[in-house]
Amino acid sequence: MLFSSIEFLYYFLPTVLIVYFLVPGRCKNLVLLAASLYFYFYGEQSLVLLMLLSCFVSFCAAILIDRYRERAVIAKSVLAVSALFHLGMLGYYKYADFFLSNVNHIFGLSIPLLRVALPIGISFYTFQIMSYTIDVYWGKAKLQKNPLNLFTYVTLFPQLIAGPIVRYTTVQEELDTRKHSFEDFSYGVYRFVIGLSKKIFIANQLGELCSIFRDFDEKTIVFYWMYAIAFCLHIYFDFSGYSDMAIGLGRMFGFHFLENFNYPYISKSISEFWRRWHISMGTWFRDYVYIPL
């Protein structure tokens, strides 16, 4: 279910908002969890069980890490097993056929491909789950003893399929107690409309131009330049539009997600570009991969 679809805009989102604000505070996370699971099930059916399994593994791993914090070997072993599980699942679903096809090409083999269906959003929820267990291990995040809250954090539908990558430390307080106000809700609606407009009026139209270019047989130099510019703007407005919608939806429900794009095309260098483009992904790899290594 896409944010720009009729099903989401006219049926799913209004229903969730009405139920969410009608139920008492202690039930709001339950409403979000149920809505998020339905949102994911709508597009993935049985693969929702894979996401729930990942949540359960992370929940148990964090409990063991916290319990054996004084015994570094055990805590580190649990963290390693948890990370290998999540990375293994990500690698299997994203790169198994890529690996087999390259082995076939290099060694002249004919190993049949697995034709594994790629779960939507597996990269986003895998990185979010790993950030939780790693931060618990580092002592940066408090152990979440309530599985409802942790599962809600991982499956939260505003950022589940297209980001931004929301770290547990960003929303850990809001998972337990969050405030709702007219100002936050109105800003959320405004931000969602901005993102939806980017997606519908700019990204989709530029995408049509790119499709026309690829299907056209006779291409001129001017047409190549038009395609290059259109493609760059298409991927930016598509991705940043979804990020805007996610941030806006989060604000409607009381969550404050961090920004994911900061005018990347005004950058003066490649390094500055990557600091401005998909910020949540870049900072995730910086903090959990590059710096530790």
Side-chain angles (χ1 to χ4, degrees):
M1 190 187 308
L2 301 176
F3 292 161
S4 55
S5 66
I6 296 298
E7 294 85 353
F8 181 85
L9 292 173
Y10 286 88
Y11 302 106
F12 178 81
L13 182 58
T15 302
V16 174
L17 285 171
I18 291 171
V19 175
Y20 179 83
F21 283 105
L22 284 178
V23 301
R26 63 180 179 277
C27 297
K28 292 189 184 299
N29 281 355
L30 182 60
V31 170
L32 283 179
L33 177 59
S36 299
L37 291 178
Y38 174 80
F39 177 84
Y40 196 77
F41 180 82
Y42 186 88
E44 288 291 16
Q45 285 80 47
S46 60
L47 288 177
V48 71
L49 297 176
L50 176 67
M51 181 172 61
L52 292 175
L53 175 62
S54 297
C55 294
F56 179 74
V57 170
S58 180
F59 177 73
C60 295
I63 290 176
L64 292 174
I65 289 171
D66 187 71
R67 178 176 300 176
Y68 295 102
R69 187 175 301 279
E70 302 303 323
R71 303 172 68 177
V73 175
I74 297 178
K76 187 175 293 186
S77 298
V78 172
L79 177 64
V81 171
S82 174
L84 287 174
F85 171 81
H86 295 303
L87 292 176
M89 296 296 287
L90 180 63
Y92 171 75
Y93 281 99
K94 292 199 72 170
Y95 302 112
D97 283 344
F98 173 77
F99 175 77
L100 290 176
S101 61
N102 277 278
V103 169
N104 289 339
H105 178 73
I106 294 172
F107 298 102
L109 302 176
S110 56
I111 302 173
L113 300 182
L114 301 176
R115 306 296 180 186
V116 179
L118 179 64
I120 297 174
I122 188 172
S123 298
F124 294 106
Y125 72 70
T126 296
F127 291 146
Q128 292 189 179
I129 288 171
M130 292 182 64
S131 78
Y132 167 67
T133 51
I134 293 172
D135 283 342
V136 169
Y137 175 77
W138 284 342
K140 294 181 178 180
K142 297 182 294 184
L143 176 68
Q144 179 55 259
K145 298 180 181 179
N146 186 345
L148 172 63
N149 288 355
L150 181 64
F151 280 46
T152 300
Y153 155 68
V154 176
T155 64
L156 202 58
F157 74 87
Q159 44 75 48
L160 179 58
I161 63 172
I165 299 174
V166 178
R167 301 191 195 184
Y168 179 75
T169 51
T170 302
V171 297
Q172 63 178 346
E173 300 298 332
E174 293 174 337
L175 283 169
D176 295 321
T177 56
R178 55 185 177 275
K179 298 179 180 179
H180 301 86
S181 65
F182 178 78
E183 289 75 15
D184 271 347
F185 188 86
S186 60
Y187 176 79
V189 173
Y190 163 78
R191 193 66 182 270
F192 181 84
V193 171
I194 292 295
L196 184 63
S197 301
K198 285 183 179 180
K199 170 66 178 171
I200 299 298
F201 297 124
I202 303 178
N204 286 1
Q205 307 311 313
L206 292 172
E208 289 292 329
L209 177 59
C210 293
S211 297
I212 292 172
F213 173 85
R214 286 190 288 267
D215 296 336
F216 205 70
D217 293 328
E218 298 180 7
K219 301 180 177 69
T220 64
I221 294 177
V222 174
F223 204 4
Y224 272 106
W225 274 106
M226 288 176 60
Y227 172 72
I229 296 172
F231 181 76
C232 290
L233 293 176
H234 165 68
I235 60 174
Y236 168 69
F237 282 107
D238 188 78
F239 207 169
S240 68
Y242 268 111
S243 292
D244 286 339
M245 286 188 278
I247 292 169
L249 288 169
R251 191 65 68 89
M252 292 182 205
F253 293 105
F255 294 96
H256 292 72
F257 301 156
L258 301 180
E259 295 295 335
N260 204 30
F261 288 87
N262 183 22
Y263 303 103
Y265 287 144
I266 68 171
S267 303
K268 298 179 181 178
S269 66
I270 295 296
S271 59
E272 183 183 358
F273 175 83
W274 287 116
R275 288 195 299 270
R276 292 174 174 270
W277 178 279
H278 202 349
I279 299 170
S280 62
M281 178 71 78
T283 55
W284 194 96
F285 277 98
R286 181 197 66 194
D287 295 340
Y288 296 105
V289 180
Y290 301 141
I291 292 177
L293 288 177

